[in-house]
Amino acid sequence: MAVDNQTVVYISEQVVILISCALSFWGSLLIICTYILWPDLRSTPRTLLVFLSVADFLSAGSYAYGVWSVFESDSVDCVVQGAISTFANTSSFFWTVSIAIYLYIFIVKSNQRLADSFVLCFHVISWGIPLGITIAALSLGRIGYDASEVSVGWCWVRIQAPDHVLWMLLTGKIWEFLAYLTLPVLYILIKKHIHRAHAALSEYRPILACSPLSQSLSNMADRKLTLIPVIFIALRIWSTVRFLLMLADSPARQNPVLVTLHGIGNTFQGAANCIMFVLFTQPIRSRLSTMLCYCCCCCRAGSGASLTPSNTPNHRTGASYNTPNHRTGASPKPYNTPNHRGLGLESGLGVETPSQPEDTPNTSPRGWPDGC
């Protein structure tokens, strides 16, 4: 295929895709940071999600560099960017399927020990196979400029290589097709198992099964199990369509709308995971909002302290800010509420478990009071 047939990437497409890369970059980083910040949330499924986020983090960064540069030749930075994105993108496919397999064994087979024993295999496969494919493609000179025929400015498989279709399959497309088939099957089986278990629970414990809290958590898990494969396919399908159009040598592959959708789909996976497993997961969302509230309070307190020195008297009470409480004569005590460590994720699905009675005040994991 001649390089003269290259797809033009317009500035508007660049801007949209760079925004998608930024959202995915920061979304993946947020997943990693929440995992580091709160040890009590480090369940095995969330650990696997962190490794997926590492792959999405590398993928978003390398894609952003490629979209910003819009390569026009097999330069050194083109080859480096193509190698990183090839490794990260392929690894992302493997980790996505690995999480589905883990949840299937854990929930449907009810065998946590067996599921945990697969974690090492997941690492070997999800890092090893993409690394081996990337090294082989680099050593054979197959990574490079692809004229944006099946990309959006970034480099991937050299379009002038005689076996470029084979290497496009090996470096991404064949694993993408397998994920299309595997993910819906596994998550449908998981959903069916949960529905059967919930029906059995309703028969023997109707009061608990019909409670608003139980129903809410069940609905949340059901929605996430539906959204995981749907979002994956909705994001990735556009690159598959362009690949098939390239095989058919159809000019429709250069359609600006299709090119933009392809760019967003390949770069938005990290942001989509952040929305589902951080922003739509109540325990983590509550902790983040409490932390944000605390930081805002500290900023306001700091600005107030800079305007009024701490050793000056209070204009209303005549007492100093660093003196004992003028009502009780005792120094004010800091908040010392206990940590609530029961806000874990059930099987990594983002299903929340209640950790404290409703009549106790909400506190953050650091003991900061809600509302500041």
Side-chain angles (χ1 to χ4, degrees), residues 238-281:
W238 310 109
S239 63
T240 304
V241 170
R242 287 195 71 202
F243 175 72
L244 297 176
L245 291 174
M246 184 209 69
L247 295 180
D249 199 20
S250 170
R253 68 184 183 276
Q254 299 177 341
N255 182 280
V257 176
L258 184 58
V259 171
T260 303
L261 291 173
H262 175 192
I264 295 173
N266 269 42
T267 59
F268 199 72
Q269 187 68 48
N273 289 336
C274 179
I275 292 171
M276 276 197 299
F277 299 111
V278 175
L279 302 183
F280 283 179
T281 300

Side-chain angles (χ1 to χ4, degrees), residues 183-184 187-188 190-191 195 218-233 276 349:
L183 291 178
Y187 282 110
I188 287 173
I190 294 172
K191 280 169 61 71
H195 288 167
S218 177
N219 291 339
M220 178 61 73
D222 188 73
R223 283 194 295 269
K224 287 189 177 182
L225 288 171
T226 303
L227 287 175
I228 290 172
V230 169
I231 290 177
F232 177 84
I233 295 174
M276 276 197 299
L349 299 177

Side-chain angles (χ1 to χ4, degrees), residues 319-335:
S320 299
Y321 286 95
N322 58 353
T323 57
N325 190 307
H326 66 281
R327 292 186 178 179
T328 63
S331 299
K333 295 182 179 180
Y335 291 99

